[in-house]
């Protein structure tokens, strides 16, 4: 747990370079206290549809060290979390984009940013749990794996009633993340 906290602190103090697809009005950064309500606004519609797991204001406050936001004119338009499990695994969760900004590559920018944070923190295996957006993650290099592929600490809190599928991606280097981002940018 101490190693995971140290990795998260290193990532927060040394963020990865910005995405080349961002414009001057956009930025992706670690979430701050003032972003919690904006994050809740982004995720609530997806919670209502059963796509995301419910999180309260207090839970988000407690997980803020793992949260990141993409802001436009300092207003969150996308969010995501990178939750370390051990030294080499992290869960990408709570990935959401404001409906007015969907279909414009913001989900890809957020995902790529989280992958960059993982690699710069020494984490090379990221995973997602999904019940409805499997194809989107598969198109971005995630492969379905067995529950047993998750770190034991994450297996221990897996919600069997929800029945999420597990998708994992191995990240080799920032160069590979950049190349994939360039490829995805060409498709948009």
């Amino acid at each position: 747990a101490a190693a995971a906290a140290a990795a998260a602190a290193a990532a927060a103090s040394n963020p990865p370079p910005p995405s080349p697809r961002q414009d001057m009005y956009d930025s992706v950064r670690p979430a701050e206290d003032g972003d919690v309500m904006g994050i809740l606004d982004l995720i609530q519609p997806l919670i209502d549809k059963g796509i995301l797991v419910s999180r309260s204001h207090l839970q988000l406050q407690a997980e803020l060290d793992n949260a990141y936001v993409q802001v436009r004119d300092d207003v969150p338009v996308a969010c995501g979390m990178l939750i370390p499990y051990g030294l080499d695994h992290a869960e990408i969760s709570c990935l959401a984009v404001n409906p007015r900004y969907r279909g414009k590559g913001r989900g890809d920018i957020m995902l790529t940013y989280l992958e960059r944070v993982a690699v710069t923190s020494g984490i090379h295996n990221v995973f997602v749990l999904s019940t409805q957006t499997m194809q989107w993650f598969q198109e971005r290099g995630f492969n379905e794996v067995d529950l047993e592929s998750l770190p034991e600490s994450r297996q221990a809190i897996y919600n069997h009633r929800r029945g999420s599928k597990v998708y994992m991606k191995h990240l080799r280097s920032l160069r590979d993340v950049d190349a994939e981002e360039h490829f995805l940018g060409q498709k948009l």
Side-chain angles (χ1 to χ4, degrees):
S13 65
N14 190 15
S19 164
R21 293 188 322 189
Q22 289 175 236
D23 69 31
M24 64 186 210
Y25 301 105
D26 290 340
S27 65
V28 181
R29 60 171 171 73
E32 302 167 352
D33 287 336
D35 296 320
V36 173
M37 290 307 297
I39 294 170
L40 283 170
D41 289 343
L42 288 170
I43 66 174
Q44 192 59 54
L46 300 172
I47 291 169
D48 293 343
K49 292 179 182 175
I51 296 171
L52 291 181
V53 174
S54 181
R55 285 179 169 83
S56 70
H57 189 278
L58 287 175
Q59 286 171 312
L60 276 175
Q61 280 294 147
E63 296 176 324
L64 205 56
D65 288 344
N66 300 320
Y68 298 84
V69 291
Q70 182 181 26
V71 295
R72 181 160 183 90
D73 295 327
D74 214 30
V75 175
V77 296
C79 63
M81 289 187 170
L82 185 71
I83 304 169
Y85 284 92
L87 297 176
D88 198 41
H89 286 81
E91 179 177 5
I92 292 175
S93 67
C94 205
L95 191 59
V97 177
N98 180 309
R100 292 190 326 237
Y101 293 93
R102 289 189 191 142
K104 298 177 179 156
R106 292 182 188 274
D108 288 315
I109 290 169
M110 196 74 232
L111 177 63
T112 301
Y113 186 89
L114 295 172
E115 290 175 351
R116 288 169 184 263
V117 172
V119 170
T120 59
S121 301
I123 295 169
H124 293 280
N125 295 294
V126 293
F127 61 90
V128 297
L129 303 179
S130 183
T131 59
Q132 299 184 33
T133 56
M134 290 78 88
Q135 181 179 350
W136 191 85
F137 287 107
Q138 288 175 316
E139 290 170 354
R140 284 143 185 88
F142 285 79
N143 296 304
E144 186 173 358
V145 297
D146 294 331
L147 178 62
E148 293 73 30
S149 298
L150 292 179
E152 287 182 17
S153 58
R154 184 59 179 95
Q155 287 181 44
I157 58 173
Y158 176 83
N159 182 345
H160 290 276
R161 287 189 318 232
R162 188 163 165 78
S164 298
K165 292 189 176 193
V166 180
Y167 293 85
M168 193 168 293
K169 181 176 183 179
H170 180 73
L171 306 171
R172 291 183 294 275
S173 68
L174 277 178
R175 184 180 194 138
D176 289 339
V177 172
D178 289 343
E180 184 176 315
E181 179 182 38
H182 178 74
F183 173 75
L184 287 171
Q186 297 297 317
K187 290 173 55 178
L188 294 176

